[in-house]
Amino acid sequence: MLQEITVRDLINMVHDIHYSRIRDLTQENEKLKLYKELIDKSYTNDDLAQENIALRNRVADLEKEVKSWRKNGTPF
């Protein structure tokens, strides 16, 4: 079945397609920037694993500190 479409509807459809494509390309560009940064800084899997371990240890330390505050009150 054929449907009658107004010019405004047609323009909106075209804009939606373009905005969708722009959004997709923006997301892809962000990923590529991250990959470029990893390559430029010469991060290796070992470097990333060490950083991940350090961050996990920091989170664990902060969780212990918060538990201590809850038990003993905050130092502030």
Side-chain angles (χ1 to χ4, degrees):
M1 299 177 96
L2 292 177
Q3 182 180 2
E4 187 175 320
I5 298 177
T6 64
V7 173
R8 174 55 57 199
D9 291 339
L10 188 58
I11 291 172
N12 287 337
M13 289 172 59
V14 170
H15 282 198
D16 289 344
I17 292 169
H18 285 286
Y19 288 138
S20 175
R21 183 71 178 137
I22 288 169
R23 187 179 59 249
D24 292 344
L25 290 173
T26 301
Q27 290 174 350
E28 185 178 345
N29 191 30
E30 290 299 319
K31 288 179 188 177
L32 292 173
K33 283 180 184 178
L34 179 59
Y35 290 140
K36 182 182 181 306
E37 179 183 343
L38 291 174
I39 291 170
D40 288 347
K41 292 185 177 182
S42 298
Y43 283 130
T44 63
N45 283 340
D46 292 336
D47 295 334
L48 295 174
Q50 289 175 357
E51 186 175 337
N52 188 10
I53 291 169
L55 289 173
R56 286 182 186 204
N57 290 337
R58 178 71 177 132
V59 167
D61 291 342
L62 291 173
E63 286 175 344
K64 288 178 188 175
E65 189 173 347
V66 168
K67 285 180 184 177
S68 172
W69 288 356
R70 287 182 182 156
K71 183 177 179 182
N72 303 321
T74 62
F76 307 110

